Each structure stands twice: as structure tokens, then as C-alpha cells.
Amino acid sequence: MRKALTHPAAGRSAARALRPEAAVPVAARGSAARSLAAYDASLAWAALLLLAIGLVMVYSASIASAEAAAHTGHRAWYFLARHALFVVAGLAAAVLAFQVPTRVWQAFAPWLFIAGVVLLVIVLVPGIGKAVNGSRRWLSLSFVNVQPSEFMKLAVVLYAASYAVRRAAFLHAEQPLRQTIVRGFLPLFAVMVVVGGLLLLEPDFGAFVVIVAIAFGILFLGGLDWRLFIGLAALLPVALAGILVAAPYRLQRLTAFLDPWSDPLGKGYQLSHSLIAFGRGEWFGVGLGSSVEKLLFLPEAHTDFLLAVIAEELGFVGVTVVIALFVWVLFRAYRIGNQAARLARPFAALVAQGIGVWLGVQTFINIGVNMGVLPTKGLTLPLLSFGGSGIVANCIAIALLLRIDYENRRLLRGFTV
């Protein structure tokens, strides 16, 4: 991705556009530019299809657990109704977010980041933060629980992109390495240590991994000195090993992932049932609504392991369709960011591709966990899994992508943004 951004054929790259001397090019004009659509309909439809698939599959995966639980009133449609409300709220938030110009998002990025940090602190306060399954990740608003870490992912995208633009002069290899480290890298690293520490206190290791990937992915795309990036990559295994040692249950998850069948009724229970679901689905699945694993065998069937139910009911074909839709969303995020870079819009370019990093990393981890190629981790599948905060945050992210693309197209027509 970084190579494509800095390719000469792309005009001004995001990294080049970050530099102070970069000039804004004259907007392209002509019949081709005037004939552009107002926004990327293919991206919007791909996101809507994922939301629609998620709505159907959350209902299918949650019927048994909804009927069995007392807090749902034993109503089979309990999770469907709540998820539908979340989707409506997400779409409403997306419509509002689309109306906000990118320059406004840039101006408010530091304040949104500070607000996110404050929420992460509040959620740890006893009596305010709500604990579920041993993790204190939610704020209860009586009728709904809000998960601040989901919105923090969006705040980190905006803040890291804003930071990369403001500190552009200190990120590039032309600067002495010491200056790059002290004035370009360490300030963001320090605030990310604070955010990471708060997330690990919840604990929410999955959100920690995604947020770290977002921050340093954006720095890399923004032109961070490759020597420093290689050094960070070399230190990553050491940091992960330290985190595993600090929390023994994470090490147990790692050993269970390596051989779930050694303890299929204990540490390997969830993964082994996910693999059974994939095996039962074969090519075309057992049919919508006919999953056996969702009948209280597979824990978190409508959240973290929704893909396993999709695999069982819709088979290889269904999983392929879901992955293809995600691939298209990520491809469009890359292309929209690349187009913004050509138009010398560094903040917009980094936000678009930062959203791509966010959705791509989280999707990859969730799919890997469901398929047994990554250790079990509590991360939902973006735009599909049950969860109000995640759905709303994902919808706002897609709206931001569409807004950046909309502004790119206006510039190509010769208008201002």
C-alpha cells in the first residue's frame, strides 16, 4: 500500500503531500471529470449488503440463546430487534457524519481523541463502568450499553492522521534519525502507551491490537522513516511476549489455539465448535436457520463467532461472498485514499487508508480466529456482528470514506470543498 502511494505515476503521494512545500494541484476538468458520479455507489452498496447479511445472520445465530436466556424474556426476536435498532442508529449517524466536511473532522480530531481517552478512563471507574464476563468495557445508559473502545478506533484514525500531517517535517528519512524519533515518533508513541494501558486494564487486548495497528499503520503510510519502522517491527514480538506473560490466561488461549482438540471440553471448547461449524457447512451449507452449533453449543455465536454460523448455514460460498464484500470495501478505501493523495489532501488520504487498516485488521483477526488460524480473541466482525457501538462506529467510518470520495470528485469537477 505504501509503495503504491509513493509511485511516481500516482502524482503526489500521501507522504509527499504531507510535506510543507507540497502545493495544491489545479483540479482536473473536462468531460470525464464532469461525468463522475457524486459518490462511490459500489462502496455504499457493499457496506449495505454486509449490514443486511449481518441482520439476517444475527437473527439466525441468536434465536436459541435468546429463547434460553431470562434477561431476554425468552423472546426469540430479542437480539434481532436490538440489532435492527443499532443498524438504524448507525445509518442515521452515517448520514449525519457524511454532511461534515473533512476539514472539520481534521480540526476536531485532537478533541475527539481526548474525549475517547476520558471515556476509557470513566469505564474503569467502579460503579460507572459495567463489567461483563470479567471485562469492564461498557458504560450503561439504562437502555443501551456503550463500548468506548469501538469509538476510540475511529478517534485514533482521525488523530493519527492529523498528527502525521502536523509532524510531517519530522517523519521522513531526510531528517536525522534522532530528530525523527524525538519530535516525530515519541509524542504519538507516548499517547498510544496511555491508550494501550487503559485498554489492557479493561482488559480488551483485541481493541489494543487494532488501535496500535491503526496508529502505526498511518505513520508508515504518512512516510515514517523506514529504519524506525523496521526497529518497531523487531520489537513487536518482545512486547507481545511481555503482554502474554503478564496475563497467563492469554498464554492459555495461545496454547489452546495451537491444539484445540487436546482439551475440546475446556480451553479448546469454543474453537473446536467453530471448526465443527465450518466442517459441517461444506460447499453450500446446511441451509439458513439450520445450524446445530448455534443451539447453545458455540459460545458468542451472534457476536465474535458469527462467521462460523455463516459457514455452517451458507457454506464456503457464503463465506466467500462475505470476504469478497470486505475485500471490495478495503480496495475502495485504498483507492479513495490514493486519489486524495493525488489531489494533495494528506489528511483525507491518511484517514481513508487508516479506516482501511482498521477494518482490514479487525476483519482479518476475526476471520482468523473463527477459522482457527489465530488465537481466540474477542473481536467482532465489522458491519455484521451484534453490538451497537461497533455497528455505529463502523457506519460512521464508511460515511467518512464516502465523504472523502465525494470531496475528491468535487475537486475533479473543478469545485471547492
Side-chain angles (χ1 to χ4, degrees), residues 4 9 14 37 57 75 89 93 104 148 151 154 157-158 169 185 195 203 224 250 258 323 327 350 371 375 379 382 411:
M57 295 310 304
R75 292 166 292 187
V104 176
F151 295 103
L154 177 63
V157 169
L158 296 169
F185 172 73
V195 171
L224 181 67
R250 296 194 183 106
L258 294 174
I323 293 176
V327 168
L350 292 175
M371 292 184 173
L379 275 177
L411 288 173

Side-chain angles (χ1 to χ4, degrees), residues 184-207:
F185 172 73
L186 282 182
L188 182 63
F189 178 77
V191 297
M192 292 312 301
V193 167
V194 173
V195 171
L198 292 172
L199 289 170
L200 291 177
L201 286 174
E202 292 184 2
D204 193 347
F205 183 65

